[in-house]
Amino acid sequence: MGVGVAAALVLSACGGDDDGGGESTDGGDGGGDRPQIALVSKGFQHQFWQAVREGAEQAAEEFDVEVTFEGPDSESEVAQQIDMLQAAIDRGPDALGFAALDSQAATPLIEEAASRDIPVIAFDSGVESDVPLTTAATDNTAAAALAAEHMVELIGGEGQVALVVHDQTSVTGVERRDGFVEYIEENAPDVEIVDIQYGGGDHLESTNLATAIIQGNPELDGIYGANEGSAIGVVNAVNELGMAGELVVVGFDSGQAQIDAIRSGVMAGAITQNPVGIGYETVRAAVQALDGEELPETIDTGYFWYDANNIDDAEIQAVLYE
């Protein structure tokens, strides 16, 4: 099964400052006449979002625009994200990029932005609205199916598996759950999904959920974490229970903890997106919209399966983040 081809970008190591705060601004040389593009992400707590910001800042420099990048304290803070989105719209940017935690809750504000003639670009996770001109994102359904394909192979085509997913309100949460589940249902009749839990992408909550799943299902063969925080929670649970090597762990995204878990053998492998490419393509699409160019409905930023066998390949190293 072929994996998605990553966007053809120059993913040079750009030393973007990681201040760990809730908002960052690429002020560049401070020219006040440059177009202003406001990006509201799902969070700041994961290294994934810092990599997205890095890509956005690369594009901002290349296309001579100013970019603000902010997100809530955690990926469970829907109300905080909505407040940030409202504040961003009220600042009157030239264009807006948005990654929705709750695709329905955000719709009225997205429509408000459109009423103010602010072009909207969705990234990472779409919204239930026709307002966004395009969505720059991974094909999460296909990527999750690839994770499921590897899970089935790794457990020998039969047994019990479970999922820890970040949420069931965002497009990414739904697609990464459904892509995995549907692949199992359609291709692996001898594999049973015994539980699906939602941890908000929080490491601690996901650890607690994974621990409960493992303890409640003594015949469990594998467990899938559907984003960085979920996967790290699964790894933590497996380590804390002393079950490394006894369960097949498959993750999504990268980050230092997952990379270390794959190198140590605790995690069998994971799907990596192209987060720098997501940020870059979001800003580039916003610039194109401001220039009056037509945009495709979606911009597929690519994904790859990585494990101990290919983690050091140049193609994989280019899309991992630490």
Side-chain angles (χ1 to χ4, degrees), residues 16-75:
D17 295 335
D18 183 354
D19 58 14
E23 180 174 357
S24 70
T25 305
D26 176 21
D29 295 326
D33 295 332
R34 293 189 294 172
Q36 307 290 310
I37 300 172
L39 303 182
V40 180
S41 74
K42 289 183 177 180
F44 247 73
Q45 72 180 115
H46 298 149
Q47 293 167 324
F48 176 85
W49 295 112
Q50 297 300 326
V52 173
R53 182 181 72 168
E54 180 182 314
E57 290 176 347
Q58 287 183 16
E61 182 175 354
E62 179 176 338
F63 298 112
D64 195 27
V65 298
E66 291 194 25
V67 170
T68 61
F69 191 100
E70 58 193 320
D73 296 332
S74 77
E75 292 185 24

Side-chain angles (χ1 to χ4, degrees), residues 3 23 32 48 60 74-75 93 102 108 119 149 172 192-193 206 220 229 240 254 264 298 316:
V3 297
E23 180 174 357
F48 176 85
S74 77
E75 292 185 24
D102 187 323
E149 179 184 5
T172 60
E192 178 188 4
I193 296 173
S206 298
L220 192 69
E240 290 172 8
S254 57
S264 71
T298 59
I316 298 300

Side-chain angles (χ1 to χ4, degrees), residues 91-174:
R91 291 197 298 269
D94 295 289
L96 173 69
F98 182 60
L101 282 172
D102 187 323
S103 57
Q104 291 183 331
T107 299
L109 288 183
I110 294 300
E111 292 173 350
E112 178 184 338
S115 73
R116 299 189 187 189
D117 295 323
I118 300 172
V120 178
I121 308 298
F123 67 97
D124 182 72
S125 187
V127 297
E128 295 187 11
S129 168
D130 294 330
V131 168
L133 300 176
T134 189
T135 299
T138 304
D139 184 340
N140 285 289
T141 302
L146 181 61
E149 179 184 5
H150 281 279
M151 175 67 83
V152 171
E153 293 173 355
L154 289 161
I155 66 172
E158 60 182 4
Q160 296 182 349
V161 299
L163 294 76
V164 176
V165 183
H166 40 301
D167 63 61
Q168 52 187 326
T169 58
S170 72
V171 172
T172 60
V174 171

Side-chain angles (χ1 to χ4, degrees), residues 287-298:
V287 171
Q288 290 172 328
L290 292 172
D291 288 341
E293 297 181 32
E294 285 206 22
L295 295 168
E297 183 177 347
T298 59

